[in-house]
């Protein structure tokens, strides 16, 4: 089945702990378009302003982010028209299920930081965090699709150290957005 691996090629390495580490292959950067960067030196209010004004258009985007490793966070992608689309969360109190992408859970040992990379292409959301991968298929079609835009929401922006986001050209023309 599709679970655990979608359309993008991956790079597999062996981590210092002897375990398998995964990330999207660097060639995926060729799909990047216009982007935004939010650095760690910004205040929570400045991060909020920058990221709530950024939009993921046509359900295609890429994000690289770094979060503090001992603080819970919840990052939501929501349609501008309202409703739910996707959420990525970390909570150290959920032992064995610390890292979640929608309803899919995984174990994550963050150390002092969580380095996250995620790619959204239509109904496929691939999230890599500290070498762990979770893939979610999103069956909810937001109002306004295929041309809807998604925005970032977080309960507490202080957990965010840095974030870069890019529009992403579609991997395939045969997809949810038809972009």
């Amino acid at each position: 089945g599709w679970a655990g691996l979608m359309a993008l090629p991956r790079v597999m390495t062996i981590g210092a702990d002897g375990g398998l580490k995964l990330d999207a292959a660097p060639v995926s950067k060729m799909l990047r378009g216009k982007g935004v960067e939010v650095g760690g030196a910004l205040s929570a209010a400045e991060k909020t302003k920058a990221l709530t004004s950024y939009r993921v258009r046509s359900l295609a985007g890429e994000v690289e982010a770094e979060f503090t490793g001992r603080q819970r966070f919840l990052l939501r992608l929501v349609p501008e028209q309202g409703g739910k689309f996707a959420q990525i969360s970390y909570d150290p109190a959920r032992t064995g299920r610390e890292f979640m992408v929608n309803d899919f859970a995984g174990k994550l040992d963050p150390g002092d930081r969580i380095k996250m990379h995620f790619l959204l292409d239509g109904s496929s959301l691939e999230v890599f965090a500290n070498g762990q991968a979770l893939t979610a298929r999103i069956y909810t079609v937001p109002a306004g699709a295929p041309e809807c835009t998604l925005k970032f929401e977080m309960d507490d922006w202080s957990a965010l150290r840095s974030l870069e986001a890019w529009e992403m050209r579609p991997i395939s023309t045969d997809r949810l957005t038809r972009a």
Side-chain angles (χ1 to χ4, degrees):
W2 61 266
L5 181 61
M6 296 302 279
L8 293 169
R10 295 183 179 195
V11 172
M12 292 184 266
T13 58
I14 303 297
D17 63 355
L20 184 64
K21 303 293 181 192
L22 299 168
D23 201 352
V27 71
S28 67
K29 292 179 182 179
M30 292 179 7
L31 300 170
R32 288 180 179 171
K34 189 172 57 172
V36 65
E37 182 176 352
V38 176
L42 297 177
S43 70
E46 291 169 316
K47 290 176 190 174
T48 301
K49 182 178 178 184
L51 291 173
T52 56
S53 64
Y54 182 74
R55 299 294 185 263
V56 176
R57 303 195 188 289
S58 299
L59 300 180
E62 178 181 6
V63 174
E64 290 182 356
E66 187 173 313
F67 296 88
T68 58
R70 302 289 179 212
Q71 186 175 344
R72 71 176 285 285
F73 68 82
L74 171 63
L75 176 65
R76 290 181 296 275
L77 292 170
V78 296
E80 284 195 279
Q81 299 85 354
K84 295 180 180 180
F85 184 70
Q87 66 181 33
I88 300 165
S89 66
Y90 170 75
D91 186 345
R94 291 188 309 236
T95 305
R97 299 175 51 85
E98 298 90 352
F99 178 47
M100 293 193 72
V101 177
N102 289 345
D103 295 329
F104 297 96
K107 182 171 176 42
L108 182 66
D109 182 17
D112 67 341
R113 68 184 179 140
I114 297 172
K115 192 170 182 178
M116 187 172 66
H117 182 196
F118 73 81
L119 299 107
L120 172 67
D121 186 35
S123 63
S124 169
L125 177 60
E126 295 191 80
V127 182
F128 304 90
N130 292 5
Q132 304 299 313
L134 281 177
T135 299
R137 189 67 197 243
I138 303 168
Y139 294 102
T140 303
V141 179
E147 293 306 318
C148 76
T149 59
L150 300 174
K151 60 183 179 177
F152 293 108
E153 288 184 354
M154 274 188 79
D155 294 333
D156 180 3
W157 290 99
S158 66
L160 180 67
R161 289 184 176 176
S162 64
L163 184 141
E164 289 183 78
W166 300 270
E167 292 177 1
M168 191 170 93
R169 290 190 301 278
I171 296 167
S172 167
T173 57
D174 183 23
R175 59 192 284 279
L176 176 65
T177 64
R178 304 277 187 234

